[in-house]
């Protein structure tokens, strides 16, 4: 069997106003040929008597299908029947407005109609409501697109004419479907899911149409469902929880003979709405739109100045400045650290300097014990310097050859007077002169004395040896 | 196979009807075009304009719940001899209140063009993100008339209004040229303001934006009672 339920309930926005009414209307109609027709209409907020127009449109559609959809055959026949129903609703609205002496737009409403036989789903649609179908394979599909203007609260209702009506057939076999006006449809097809596949909050809508989890097997079950769903959708709690202020309409039709296939658990998982919302805010506040959008520019007369490019450039400059500011702050921190370290080093060096000065003063001012010791102190630095210079020069000497080698030779001169032959050797000579000038004299004097003594000794030895030989010869 | 259950019978378990957050969030973009020419020094109009902006933010934040604060997006453009984008579109809670100073001439034409560019770009972002939005507002406050080349920009504004791309309002304080303003703005959207009462004006704008945000009406007209200091300008 084809079971069904339908509910249209007033929204909080209309409840707040005195005399506020529900401008939605909905219903289902079982046709003699085994089909079920379902229809929803949402009276426009700007139309004074739109609740009348919405009811008139739904009633007219059912009446037309009862009389003009007796022996369904081809797809085209179904679609023509639906189109005929829309034309009938359009004409009846105009006629009723004329007879009541009011503008037809005061009756204006959206209109969505479905024709279903337990497998094939045909539909006609205008406005911002919609249909969700559940296929035999267990897929949820949004089969209508919102017929609306650029701005949220602008839609294309029935009286906008044939140009804004669409008629089609769902491409898959359908075991259940739901129809909703924008109050609930915007919830089920949240704008945040624009890029999701499917763009449907499945864990929400499946509670109303999936026999895998919903007890909907016979007419008794549908009596219970009609009451429970009607109570729930009409409740203020539903409006409050879901943050809906608009009127609410929901129609469900379920084929009780088909159990839809079950999908993977993840298919029924609630989308991460927090993350999707954050992503949406990132786009509308932080990202630069794509270029060349002239949607809001008249065909002629647009000033060529591209302000957005300038803005983008300024934003980039600002980011660059911020980055530079951060770098400067880091540098400043480093500099202050260095200053601190330098201060500490300075203090240590000053301390060492003072200590050195004091030590020198003590050594200099100390009363001399004897002349030799003072002489030794003065000569120490020279000796040290000479040794260091000799060491380094010897190392260099290994690497250098040819003419340049003279430098090393010159530096080592103080110890090797024999090697001196260049002019550049004068410095080393000058430095080492004070020592070397004195020592050779003493040494030479000593050597002379030594040599004379040795000569003497030698001569004495020779004399002794000669005496011995003489003695031996004589013996 | 899962076990069937009656509708909404299992309160407290995974089969309860989930809440769909943010699904009904709709944005409204509002650009303030503020005249900061030297004549705004008279009667301390510039000081009162600064105070009016502060009141606008305060009242809007006080009257909206946390969710709604992110739905009113405000941009601020000032114009004197130059045109400055003081602030691109931001949620009203992130709005920086500038300390405006008066000097120079009245380059209103260029400011209108910048405002329309901003609105066009912002709508593109809304579309990219899939965010539903109301018709954006362009709100101009002046004490004079444009002395730059404004004719082309005025034509563009009229085209945008006729094609429901934006709705523009003009509020003039003492000395503003209503005769020229009606060549730029729709006459029914031009208001005068007595005694530079910007505080009342911005309270009114805040209330109107809030009312618009909660409406499903197609019109973008101001539908909140106007303050006493605001009046319709008698036009030719």
């Amino acid at each position: 069997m084809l079971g069904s339920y339908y509910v249209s309930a007033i929204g909080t926005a209309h409840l707040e106003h005195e005399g506020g009414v529900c401008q939605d209307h909905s219903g289902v109609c079982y046709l003699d040929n085994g089909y079920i027709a379902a229809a929803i209409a949402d009276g426009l907020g700007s139309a004074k008597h739109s609740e009348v127009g919405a009811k008139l449109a739904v009633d007219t559609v059912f009446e037309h299908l009862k009389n003009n959809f007796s022996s369904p055959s081809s797809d085209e026949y179904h679609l023509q029947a639906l189109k005929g129903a829309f034309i009938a609703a359009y004409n009846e609205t105009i006629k009723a407005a004329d007879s009541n002496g009011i503008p037809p737009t005061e009756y204006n409403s959206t209109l969505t109609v479905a024709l279903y036989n337990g497998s094939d789903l045909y539909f006609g649609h205008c406005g911002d409501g919609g249909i969700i179908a559940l296929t035999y394979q267990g897929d949820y599909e949004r089969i209508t697109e919102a017929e609306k203007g650029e701005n949220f609260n602008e839609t294309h209702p029935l009286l906008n004419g044939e140009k804004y009506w669409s008629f089609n057939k769902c491409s898959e076999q359908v075991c259940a479907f739901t129809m909703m006006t924008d109050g609930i449809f915007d919830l089920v097809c949240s704008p945040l899911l624009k890029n999701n596949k499917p763009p449907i909050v499945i864990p929400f809508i499946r509670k109303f149409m999936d026999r895998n989890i919903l007890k909907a097997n016979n007419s008794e079950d549908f009596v219970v469902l009609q009451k429970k769903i009607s109570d729930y959708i009409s409740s203020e709690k539903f409006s409050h929880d879901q943050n809906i202020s608009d009127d609410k309409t929901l129609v469900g039709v379920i084929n009780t003979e088909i159990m839809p296939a079950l999908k993977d658990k993840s298919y029924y998982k609630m989308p991460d709405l927090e993350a999707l919302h954050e992503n949406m805010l990132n786009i509308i506040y932080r990202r630069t739109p794509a270029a060349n959008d002239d949607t809001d520019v008249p065909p002629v007369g647009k000033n060529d100045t591209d302000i957005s490019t300038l803005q983008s450039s300024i934003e980039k400059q600002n980011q660059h400045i911020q980055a530079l500011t951060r770098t400067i702050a880091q540098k400043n921190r480093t500099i202050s650290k260095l200053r601190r370290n330098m201060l500490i080093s300075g203090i240590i060096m000053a301390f060492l300097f003072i200590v050195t000065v004091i030590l020198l003063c003590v050594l200099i001012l100390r009363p001399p014990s004897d002349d030799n010791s003072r002489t030794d102190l003065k000569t120490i630095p020279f000796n040290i310097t000479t040794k260091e210079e000799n060491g380094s020069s010897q190392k260099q000497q290994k690497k250098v050859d040819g003419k340049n080698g003279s430098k090393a030779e010159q530096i080592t001169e103080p110890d090797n007077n024999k090697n001196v032959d260049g002019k550049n050797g004068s410095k080393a000579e000058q430095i080492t002169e004070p020592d070397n000038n004195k020592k050779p004299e003493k040494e030479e004097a000593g050597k002379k004395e030594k040599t004379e003594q040795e000569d003497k000794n030698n001569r004495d030895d020779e004399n002794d040896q000669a005496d011995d030989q003489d003695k031996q010869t004589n013996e | 196979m899962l076990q069937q259950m009656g509708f909404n019978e299992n309160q407290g378990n995974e089969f309860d009807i989930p809440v769909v957050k943010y699904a009904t969030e709709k944005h409204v973009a509002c650009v303030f075009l503020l005249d900061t020419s030297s004549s705004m020094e008279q009667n301390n109009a510039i000081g009162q304009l600064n105070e009016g902006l502060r009141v606008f933010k305060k009242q809007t934040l006080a009257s909206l719940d946390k969710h709604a604060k992110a739905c009113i997006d405000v941009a601020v453009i000032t114009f004197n001899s130059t045109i400055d984008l003081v602030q691109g579109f931001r949620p009203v809670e992130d709005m920086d209140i500038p300390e405006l100073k008066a000097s120079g001439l009245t380059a209103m034409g260029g400011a209108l063009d910048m405002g329309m560019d901003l609105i066009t770009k912002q709508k593109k972002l809304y579309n990219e993100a899939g965010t539903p939005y109301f018709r954006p507002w362009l709100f101009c406050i002046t004490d004079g008339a444009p002395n730059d080349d404004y004719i082309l920009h005025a034509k563009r504004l009229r085209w945008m209004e006729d094609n429901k791309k934006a709705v523009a309002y003009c509020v003039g304080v003492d000395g503003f040229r209503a005769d020229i303003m009606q060549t730029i703005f729709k006459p029914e959207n031009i208001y005068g303001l007595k005694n530079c009462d910007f505080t009342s004006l911005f309270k009114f704008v805040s209330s109107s934006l809030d009312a618009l945000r909660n409406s499903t009406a197609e019109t973008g007209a101001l539908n909140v009672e106007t303050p006493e200091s605001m009046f319709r300008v008698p036009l030719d």
Side-chain angles (χ1 to χ4, degrees), chain A residues 5-229:
Chain A
Y5 58 84
Y6 60 93
V7 54
S8 288
I10 188 169
T12 53
H14 292 148
L15 272 175
E16 285 167 3
H17 295 102
E18 196 178 325
V21 294
C22 175
Q23 295 170 328
D24 283 3
H25 194 78
S26 61
V28 294
C29 177
Y30 288 88
L31 303 174
D32 293 340
N33 55 17
Y35 276 69
I36 185 171
I40 58 171
D42 179 358
L44 296 196
S46 56
K48 277 185 186 170
H49 306 289
S50 63
E51 78 280 4
V52 177
K55 184 173 186 312
L56 182 62
V58 169
D59 291 348
T60 305
V61 162
F62 290 156
E63 193 63 28
H64 178 86
L65 290 173
K66 275 180 191 171
N67 299 326
N68 299 282
F69 185 65
S70 53
S71 50
S73 53
S74 65
D75 287 346
E76 186 59 29
Y77 178 84
H78 290 78
L79 298 177
Q80 282 300 328
L82 284 168
K83 189 171 181 182
F86 269 66
I87 291 170
Y90 180 95
N91 290 335
E92 280 300 312
T93 303
I94 303 279
K95 197 171 151 188
D98 283 348
S99 62
N100 289 319
I102 57 172
T105 49
E106 299 294 329
Y107 283 161
N108 217 349
S109 74
T110 68
L111 181 63
T112 303
V113 181
L115 270 176
Y116 179 59
N117 61 6
S119 169
D120 303 314
L121 175 62
Y122 300 87
F123 58 91
H125 172 62
C126 70
D128 50 9
I131 303 174
I132 301 291
L134 174 59
T135 69
Y136 281 23
Q137 290 74 35
D139 293 304
Y140 287 82
E141 290 185 9
R142 172 183 173 160
I143 61 171
T144 52
E145 289 301 322
E147 297 284 344
K148 58 195 298 182
E150 178 188 311
N151 303 312
F152 147 74
N153 47 359
E154 294 166 0
T155 189
H156 294 301
L158 178 69
L159 297 187
N160 277 19
E162 208 172 314
K163 185 182 168 187
Y164 296 100
W165 304 344
S166 60
F167 302 95
N168 214 334
K169 178 194 178 187
C170 183
S171 57
E172 302 293 330
Q173 284 186 295
V174 173
C175 62
F177 66 93
T178 48
M179 304 167 74
M180 294 148 275
T181 53
D182 60 343
I184 299 180
F185 193 67
D186 288 349
L187 204 69
V188 175
C189 295
S190 167
L192 293 176
L193 302 178
K194 184 188 175 194
N195 297 319
N196 276 36
K197 288 185 180 177
I200 301 166
V201 184
I202 292 170
F204 177 93
I205 197 61
R206 78 181 298 224
K207 311 287 184 191
F208 297 91
M209 60 195 297
D210 188 347
R211 289 184 61 240
N212 283 299
I213 57 169
L214 181 66
K215 195 178 174 197
N217 303 321
N218 50 47
S219 54
E220 288 78 24
D221 286 345
F222 279 95
V223 170
V224 175
L225 273 181
Q226 172 66 48
K227 182 172 184 343
K228 285 196 170 181
I229 290 176

Side-chain angles (χ1 to χ4, degrees), chain B residues 35-48 50 100-104 143 173 196:
Chain B
D35 184 345
T36 55
S37 59
S38 56
S39 55
M40 287 290 283
E41 287 283 15
Q42 289 173 17
N43 303 320
N44 191 30
I46 196 75
Q48 295 197 57
N50 284 325
L100 303 176
K101 291 190 167 58
S103 68
D143 70 338
V173 294
C196 299

Side-chain angles (χ1 to χ4, degrees), chain B:
Chain B
M1 181 180 162
L2 297 172
Q3 188 184 355
Q4 286 184 334
M5 292 176 189
F7 176 76
N8 215 14
E9 276 183 353
N10 265 27
Q11 295 289 339
N13 75 12
E14 63 172 316
F15 292 108
D16 277 350
I17 309 297
V19 172
V20 186
K21 282 187 187 174
Y22 308 117
T24 54
E25 183 172 310
K26 299 160 193 81
H27 285 245
V28 55
C30 178
V31 182
F32 288 121
L33 300 179
L34 307 176
D35 184 345
T36 55
S37 59
S38 56
S39 55
M40 287 290 283
E41 287 283 15
Q42 289 173 17
N43 303 320
N44 191 30
I46 196 75
Q48 295 197 57
L49 181 58
N50 284 325
E51 180 58 24
L53 284 171
R54 277 190 284 275
V55 168
F56 170 77
K57 180 176 179 180
K58 192 176 172 187
Q59 171 162 319
T60 307
L61 292 181
S63 62
L64 301 178
D65 56 37
K66 190 186 173 193
H67 176 67
K69 283 169 194 167
C71 299
I72 295 178
D73 302 324
V74 181
V76 179
I77 294 169
T78 58
F79 56 94
N80 43 46
S81 295
T82 59
I83 302 151
D84 293 315
L85 175 62
V86 178
Q87 176 194 291
F89 279 111
R90 290 182 199 170
V92 70
E93 65 178 340
D94 293 343
M95 184 182 174
D96 285 333
I97 306 300
E99 194 62 39
L100 303 176
K101 291 190 167 58
S103 68
L105 301 173
T106 313
M108 186 195 289
L112 282 169
D113 196 43
M114 184 190 271
M116 288 184 281
D117 277 346
L118 273 186
I119 283 173
T120 302
K121 301 296 178 190
Q122 189 63 15
K123 285 199 294 185
K124 184 157 182 64
L125 290 176
Y126 288 152
N127 286 327
E128 190 184 335
T131 308
Y133 56 89
F134 293 90
R135 201 182 308 175
W137 279 24
L138 196 144
F139 209 94
C140 181
I141 294 171
T142 183
D143 70 338
N147 48 29
D148 61 349
D149 186 7
Y150 69 93
I151 302 294
L152 274 180
H153 308 312
K155 281 183 181 172
R156 183 185 174 196
L157 181 63
R158 186 56 60 96
W159 182 88
M160 285 183 74
E161 289 208 271
D162 289 347
N163 288 278
K164 299 182 177 180
K165 305 290 183 187
V167 57
Y169 296 95
C170 174
V171 174
V173 294
D174 296 341
F176 91 110
R177 293 284 302 276
D179 55 331
I180 295 177
M181 289 305 125
Q182 66 177 318
T183 66
I184 303 172
F185 299 92
K186 287 186 174 178
E188 64 269 27
N189 289 347
I190 300 174
Y191 294 84
L193 186 70
K194 294 176 195 165
N195 307 320
C196 299
D197 187 9
F198 287 112
T199 302
S200 298
L201 171 67
F202 278 104
K203 279 184 178 175
F204 166 69
V205 174
S206 173
S207 302
S208 298
L209 285 169
D210 190 31
L212 174 69
R213 192 183 60 79
N214 286 315
S215 80
T216 55
E218 226 181 304
T219 175
L222 297 172
N223 50 5
V224 175
E225 193 178 344
T226 52
E228 282 183 11
S229 53
M230 232 172 126
F231 60 93
R232 290 270 182 194
V233 179
L235 298 166
D236 301 333

Side-chain angles (χ1 to χ4, degrees), chain A residues 453-470:
Chain A
Q453 186 62 45
E454 281 172 358
D455 288 342
K456 249 185 199 177
N457 291 339
N458 288 340
R459 278 198 297 274
D460 289 343
D461 287 342
E462 282 171 5
N463 290 334
D464 288 342
Q465 282 175 0
D467 288 342
D468 288 342
Q469 280 178 354
D470 288 343

